[in-house]
Amino acid sequence: MIAISRTGRLLRRLVRLSCRRPVVTTAISLLLAVAGITYTLHTLSFRTSGRDLLPRDAGYIVRYNQYAREFGELEDIVIVIEARTFEAAKAYAARLVHELRLSPIKFPRVTYRVDPQRFEGRQLLYLPTEQLKEVRDRIFDYQEFMESFAGDPSLARLVEGANAAMASAFVSNLFDLGLEKGGGENTRFLQLVLEQISDRLDRPTPYRSPWGTLFSLGERPADAGYFLSDDKSLLFALVETPKSDKGSFMGDHHAIEVIRGVIAKLKTDFPNVQAGVTGGPTLSNDEMTAAFEDSSVATVIAFALTLLVMMLAFWRVGKPLLMLAVLAVTLAWSMGLIALTVGHLTIFSVMFISIVIGIGIDYGIYFLFRYEEEIFLGRNLKEALELTAARTGPGMLIGALTAGGTFYVLMLTDFRGIQELGFIAGTAILMAWLGMITLFPALLMLVDRHHAERPRNQAPRAHAIERMHVPVLDRVTSCPKTVLTVAGIATVASLWAVPYVGFDYNLLNLQAKGTESVLWEKRILATTGRSGFNGLASAKTLEELRKKQDAFEKLPSVSDVDSVLRVIPDNQREKIAIVNTFAPIVSPVRVGRSSPVDIERLARALGELQRRLDIFATEAGDKLPADLKDLRAKTAALLKTLKTVDREVAEPALSHLQSQLYRDFTSKFFDLQRNLNPRPVVLADVPEEIQRKFIGQRGDFLLQIHPRVDIWEREGARTFVRELRSVDPDVTGAPIITYEAIGYMERAYYQGTIYAFLAVGILSFLMIRRVKETLLALLPLVLGLLWTVGLMRVFGIQFNMANVWGLPLIIGASAEFGLNVMLRYLEGRDHGGPLVARSTVMAVALSGVSTMVGFGSLMIARHQGIYSLGLLLTLGSACGLFAALAVLPVILRLITKRVAAPATPVVARSTAA
């Protein structure tokens, strides 16, 4: 035990120095605490982005930051609007944008559509080349019909013209009628016209345009240009945060709260419209907000419950309060150091206070129990403090080094978020130990002055020696078979459960239940089959942009690609040349006024159509296609109806239909004529909101690649990233960053767990210097870890990205319990005394309970990841504590013969130490 003796002497000198001027020690400690809190309030920030947790020099991080500088905000705040009708959603979006532009925050960009009117006159350029060629061919084929109907846009002329077009097609196929393929456009057009004439003669019916069957001119729907989901049930509004607030937690938070305030305000005027906020900045903000609020509540609960536990243990209030005050001072020191060195907290490190309360209070508990034992044994104040430092101080130090070491070794991992957590938590634990070994003794020196006058080397009474025993522990160790059997069964069951404990990679499942941004993100996934997050790539030229976009769009895991090409058509020169071939035909045509409905003329046209269809039927025989048979039957039925119809009823009905056909034709034909002289769409024509998003300051072009797969699941993310990198190895974006972050976290946790084992083992051996005793001290660590995994199966807990880093912490806590039991056992064996003294057993038990209280306070968290971390750590601490106070003493009693010694020599040896 040479190492322990040397460490004990050093710690005794440190306590002696602190207690020489207790008022000065206290004043200096408080001044440092005030300075730490003041500096923290002015400088400490919160970072919500996953990029802040990854290596800064990673290629996808470097490129993402370059894109952010080049293209502005890459991740918009997304407002999702769901209404019963598109018109209602559109009205809501217009009002929402108006209110946001009047808000105190000046949003650089708030948009929910790109106005197609910006590209008026160039509609034909947005048709695919093949479709445009079809338009050209139809104009050539139906030129005569088009010109004749434009001259006399009446029902009779419509049937006459269609009849003539069908006759022309018949003549052109004189030697091969081609009727096996059906009548094509003519048939569909005539069927629709005849159906409407027949229906109108019977009763009023809705109008259906027949012109799309002949001239597919790329009609513009009412929802053209709006940002809609695939099934058009959701309308999206995209909001860019103010430039000064980009990347700022408080800036994003303020902007999101303003948006949510406007949505709440509009609820009165739009009671049937549902709207919510999601998107990358919102998900990060909501997660960090929940974590921060949970941390604040958990800290208060941890302090209150820890105080309650210590009051019940010590049956007093003063010294437990004193201990918590020391812990609060050390946390202030830690916050100042964190603000000075790291400068920020993340979703990983924001919960460290509750963890440190659970662990840091342990060192005060160990000190106070041993100090009171020494006072009870008759020591005066100075003796009790110095002996406590010499005897229990090494155990406290090894506990702090193992707990802090399990965090510090996380700095050896590759994941920056885990590195920062390791430094922050490790530093806070060491600060807690430092406060308990310096400030706490100084305060005890001030509050327990009445013990200072007690004579030195006073011999303890016989019942005081007896009180050092722990009857419960004696009874437990007297039943070794029962204890070891229970432990063996639990170990075997835990080993069986290990393969059944899975890993949940879905980060959405970590968020607080009912979080608005998560609910809307899942609704987008369910509605569109894709996430609101997207990959990012860039191109130097439009040609390179087209090649990349085509390649990305062919990938199975990609649903869509957004870029400036959304508004810049392809093959513009070829398309303009095609338009120029039919523009001279369409341009001079003028639409006249329709003549009154002439039922006799209409009947004659139908009769001529009937005769022509009879000829087709005779020529084709059994090969007459079904659509021509149907047309023939409808023509015959309509002719029969016209012969018996009441003219006073028929003429108004057909006049209304003719008027509708006229207006429909005029609108479509004039639309075609307005697009006959298109100018090429160039970059200068791109709307400003599209330029801001997709054209960089240096002229580069951005691509946003939307996933078809669920990127929140591990397999979907892996497939999406792998396929994107097959096209462009330099791709970046939120899905890539998240995927890489999960990979880094996985490696970090594996590395951290291994490093924690090694650190605890090495530190334990350096303090104990005996292999067998070191292995026995680490037994609670191994058993506690195994039993924890078994209980995870019982409680239905899975590992996730928030709770898996609790494994190194369980290693540290379990090792601390085992080491303190082993060190006190070795002290009792060398100096005489019980197997493990009462003060140590009570201290370890109370430390375990207070640790579970600190960890258990995390279970009040709404954030599911933090909740699962709290539950895992609580179970782990309970398992480690049971192994240290039940299994380890049984094994120690079995392998060691207790040395009996008279009471007086024991005191002499202890005092001499």
Side-chain angles (χ1 to χ4, degrees):
M1 301 295 291
I2 298 174
I4 294 180
S5 299
R6 289 177 179 174
T7 305
R9 285 195 294 270
L10 289 173
L11 293 175
R12 181 164 53 189
R13 290 170 188 167
L14 178 62
V15 168
R16 185 181 297 160
L17 179 64
S18 301
C19 295
R20 184 173 299 166
R21 297 283 188 273
V23 175
V24 174
T25 301
T26 304
I28 293 174
S29 299
L30 293 176
L31 286 174
L32 289 174
V34 171
I37 291 297
T38 303
Y39 187 74
T40 298
L41 292 175
H42 283 85
T43 61
L44 191 67
S45 62
F46 298 94
R47 295 191 178 178
T48 63
S49 173
R51 300 189 305 278
D52 297 323
L53 307 176
L54 292 165
R56 294 185 181 92
D57 57 351
Y60 47 87
I61 297 294
V62 173
R63 283 186 294 277
Y64 189 95
N65 292 332
Q66 287 175 347
Y67 290 168
R69 291 190 298 268
E70 180 79 7
F71 298 99
E73 185 59 49
L74 298 174
E75 296 180 22
D76 291 318
I77 297 172
V78 180
I79 304 173
V80 189
I81 302 166
E82 185 176 37
R84 294 177 179 176
T85 64
F86 169 70
E87 292 300 323
K90 185 171 69 172
Y92 184 93
R95 177 74 178 278
L96 175 71
V97 170
H98 175 73
E99 294 291 338
L100 287 177
R101 286 174 178 161
L102 295 178
S103 69
I105 295 182
K106 300 304 177 185
F107 297 100
R109 173 171 50 83
V110 184
T111 180
Y112 59 94
R113 69 179 298 221
V114 175
D115 189 358
Q117 296 293 332
R118 295 172 181 266
F119 307 101
E120 191 66 37
R122 291 177 275 192
Q123 186 178 347
L124 291 172
L125 297 182
Y126 290 93
L127 296 179
T129 303
E130 292 304 315
Q131 189 176 345
L132 186 59
K133 288 179 178 178
E134 289 180 11
V135 172
R136 177 198 61 190
D137 294 342
R138 288 172 183 170
I139 290 174
F140 288 163
D141 291 341
Y142 302 112
Q143 178 182 355
E144 184 179 348
F145 167 76
M146 177 183 63
E147 292 173 345
S148 64
F149 182 76
D152 179 19
S154 63
L155 270 177
R157 188 71 195 94
L158 183 63
V159 177
E160 291 169 353
N163 191 8
M166 185 173 288
S168 175
F170 175 79
V171 171
S172 64
N173 290 284
L174 184 60
F175 299 101
D176 178 11
L177 294 178
L179 294 177
E180 298 86 351
K181 300 179 182 178
E185 300 289 350
N186 289 330
T187 304
R188 288 192 292 274
F189 177 81
L190 279 169
Q191 281 180 336
L192 192 53
V193 171
L194 296 185
E195 284 174 5
Q196 294 201 77
I197 294 174
S198 180
D199 290 345
R200 294 298 176 91
L201 292 174
D202 183 41
R203 65 189 183 282
T205 56
Y207 173 74
R208 291 173 292 159
S209 175
W211 302 111
T213 63
L214 288 178
F215 302 105
S216 180
L217 305 180
E219 297 181 59
R220 188 162 60 227
D223 56 18
Y226 288 87
F227 303 154
L228 294 165
S229 60
D230 293 342
D231 63 356
K232 300 187 178 182
S233 64
L234 303 177
L235 175 62
F236 304 109
L238 307 180
V239 182
E240 181 180 346
T241 54
K243 186 175 182 180
S244 60
D245 293 334
K246 289 178 184 176
S248 161
F249 168 64
M250 293 309 297
D252 282 349
H253 180 74
H254 189 201
I256 291 165
E257 289 307 306
V258 167
I259 294 170
R260 284 175 170 158
V262 171
I263 290 174
K265 176 182 174 183
L266 294 181
K267 190 65 179 175
T268 305
D269 296 336
F270 297 88
N272 297 321
V273 177
Q274 300 294 323
V277 190
T278 186
T282 312
L283 284 166
S284 298
N285 168 83
D286 288 353
E287 183 174 37
M288 196 66 185
T289 300
F292 186 73
E293 292 175 355
D294 291 341
S295 174
S296 302
V297 175
T299 299
V300 173
I301 291 176
F303 266 110
L305 291 180
T306 301
L307 176 61
L308 178 62
V309 168
M310 290 193 297
M311 286 171 56
L312 293 175
F314 291 102
W315 287 104
R316 74 195 85 166
V317 178
K319 287 177 181 173
L321 273 177
L322 205 62
M323 199 186 307
L324 282 176
V326 172
L327 185 61
V329 169
T330 65
L331 284 172
W333 298 349
S334 302
M335 293 299 295
L337 283 173
I338 293 165
L340 180 65
T341 53
V342 181
H344 59 262
L345 294 177
T346 66
I347 187 65
F348 282 92
S349 55
V350 72
M351 302 303 295
F352 85 95
I353 293 179
S354 296
I355 293 172
V356 171
I357 291 173
I359 297 176
I361 199 69
D362 293 354
Y363 312 126
I365 291 172
Y366 289 130
F367 194 96
L368 184 59
F369 263 112
R370 184 59 183 262
Y371 163 76
E372 297 214 327
E373 178 183 298
E374 297 297 339
I375 290 292
F376 181 79
L377 290 174
R379 320 293 184 200
N380 65 29
L381 180 59
K382 187 177 179 182
E383 272 186 315
L385 289 172
E386 292 185 9
L387 277 173
T388 298
R391 297 292 187 187
T392 298
M396 292 170 56
L397 177 59
I398 188 63
L401 290 177
T402 53
T406 55
F407 279 106
Y408 276 129
V409 293
L410 297 179
M411 297 175 64
L412 301 176
T413 65
D414 299 325
F415 188 52
R416 186 150 60 98
I418 300 298
Q419 292 172 351
E420 291 177 357
L421 169 66
F423 176 78
I424 289 171
T427 300
I429 287 172
L430 292 186
M431 288 297 102
W433 171 83
L434 182 61
M436 294 303 176
I437 204 71
T438 56
L439 177 59
F440 190 42
L443 291 174
L444 290 174
M445 196 79 181
L446 294 174
V447 298
D448 277 353
R449 288 178 178 174
H450 57 282
H451 292 308
E453 304 303 324
R454 183 179 294 184
R456 294 177 60 86
N457 299 327
Q458 181 177 338
R461 297 179 295 272
H463 75 276
I465 296 293
E466 184 61 29
R467 187 174 170 181
M468 292 177 65
H469 291 265
V470 185
V472 174
L473 185 63
D474 291 338
R475 284 196 293 271
V476 169
T477 56
S478 66
C479 304
K481 291 183 179 180
T482 303
V483 173
L484 294 179
T485 300
V486 171
I489 293 172
T491 303
V492 171
S494 298
L495 287 171
W496 171 83
V498 167
Y500 296 96
V501 177
F503 203 106
D504 183 4
Y505 291 96
N506 193 325
L507 299 183
L508 290 180
N509 294 337
L510 302 184
Q511 294 265 25
K513 290 182 178 179
T515 300
E516 181 194 41
S517 55
V518 176
L519 294 177
W520 282 106
E521 171 67 12
K522 290 183 175 179
R523 189 175 297 186
I524 293 171
L525 276 170
T527 304
T528 67
R530 74 184 196 190
S531 169
F533 290 76
N534 48 69
L536 301 173
S538 65
K540 296 290 185 183
T541 63
L542 281 174
E543 182 180 0
E544 181 187 1
L545 179 64
R546 289 191 192 282
K547 289 181 180 178
K548 281 191 176 183
Q549 180 156 330
D550 289 343
F552 282 129
E553 287 176 340
K554 292 176 182 176
L555 298 175
S557 63
V558 173
S559 67
D560 202 3
V561 180
D562 285 332
S563 73
V564 74
L565 296 181
R566 285 287 185 189
V567 294
I568 298 182
D570 61 351
N571 303 322
Q572 293 191 70
R573 186 174 299 178
E574 180 184 357
K575 291 178 179 178
I576 291 173
I578 294 172
V579 173
N580 290 338
T581 61
F582 61 78
I585 297 173
V586 178
S587 182
V589 176
R590 295 293 178 265
V591 181
R593 292 186 174 275
S594 57
S595 57
V597 170
D598 186 339
I599 293 181
E600 285 80 6
R601 182 183 171 191
L602 177 60
R604 287 195 301 273
L606 288 170
E608 183 64 27
L609 175 62
Q610 181 69 43
R611 287 190 294 274
R612 184 156 285 117
L613 289 171
D614 290 341
I615 295 171
F616 287 173
T618 301
E619 293 291 338
D622 295 336
K623 295 182 179 180
L624 186 68
D627 60 344
L628 287 178
K629 288 180 182 179
D630 186 50
L631 179 62
R632 186 183 179 201
K634 287 180 178 177
T635 304
L638 183 55
L639 274 170
K640 186 178 180 181
T641 302
L642 284 176
K643 290 177 182 178
T644 60
V645 74
D646 184 351
R647 289 179 177 274
E648 292 185 2
V649 175
E651 285 185 357
L654 295 181
S655 294
H656 183 55
L657 175 60
Q658 180 174 280
S659 175
Q660 289 176 313
L661 283 165
Y662 170 76
R663 289 196 300 270
D664 187 19
F665 175 80
T666 302
S667 173
K668 287 180 169 57
F669 194 76
F670 284 172
D671 190 37
L672 176 61
Q673 287 182 321
R674 283 193 298 269
N675 286 274
L676 292 177
N677 188 29
R679 294 179 294 104
V681 180
V682 296
L683 291 177
D685 298 319
V686 177
E688 181 185 358
E689 60 267 27
I690 302 296
Q691 288 192 32
R692 285 174 58 86
K693 195 168 186 67
F694 293 110
I695 303 178
Q697 297 174 0
R698 297 179 300 176
D700 290 352
F701 302 102
L702 183 70
L703 297 96
Q704 288 186 331
I705 308 119
H706 301 281
R708 187 186 303 277
V709 295
D710 186 355
I711 58 168
W712 297 106
E713 296 296 336
R714 181 65 164 169
E715 191 55 41
R718 181 185 290 113
T719 300
F720 184 63
V721 173
R722 184 180 64 247
E723 290 188 359
L724 259 57
R725 284 176 171 169
S726 70
V727 174
D728 183 356
D730 294 332
V731 72
T732 185
I736 288 83
I737 292 172
T738 302
Y739 174 77
E740 293 291 346
I742 290 174
Y744 270 106
M745 280 190 277
E746 279 188 295
R747 291 191 294 273
Y749 295 137
Y750 292 137
Q751 294 168 353
T753 302
I754 294 171
Y755 294 158
F757 265 116
L758 293 175
V760 167
I762 293 171
L763 287 171
S764 301
F765 179 74
L766 290 177
M767 292 299 294
I768 298 176
R769 298 292 180 92
R770 297 171 185 174
V771 175
K772 184 177 73 173
E773 284 78 1
T774 300
L775 292 176
L776 285 173
L778 297 179
L779 181 63
L781 181 160
V782 177
L783 294 178
L785 209 56
L786 269 177
W787 295 348
T788 301
V789 176
L791 287 176
M792 289 178 68
R793 171 73 170 164
V794 174
F795 283 87
I797 308 171
Q798 287 186 312
F799 284 118
N800 56 50
M801 289 302 160
N803 67 25
V804 74
W805 65 265
L807 293 180
L809 192 51
I810 293 172
I811 291 172
S814 300
E816 178 187 320
F817 300 150
L819 283 168
N820 276 283
V821 170
M822 177 57 71
L823 289 174
R824 191 58 192 267
Y825 160 76
L826 292 175
E827 180 186 339
R829 189 183 68 181
D830 291 348
H831 297 282
L835 180 71
V836 182
R838 175 187 178 86
S839 65
T840 299
V841 173
M842 295 301 295
V844 170
L846 184 56
S847 295
V849 172
S850 65
T851 299
M852 286 189 284
V853 165
F855 294 159
S857 68
L858 300 178
M859 293 169 61
I860 58 91
R862 294 176 296 124
H863 188 280
Q864 293 302 294
I866 295 172
Y867 164 82
S868 67
L869 172 64
L871 180 55
L872 180 67
L873 291 176
T874 302
L875 293 175
S877 299
C879 292
L881 184 62
F882 178 79
L885 292 182
V887 179
L888 181 58
V890 166
I891 295 175
L892 292 177
R893 186 175 289 279
L894 288 175
I895 67 173
T896 305
K897 204 173 200 180
R898 184 177 175 187
V899 178
T904 305
V906 170
V907 176
R909 289 192 193 97
S910 181
T911 307

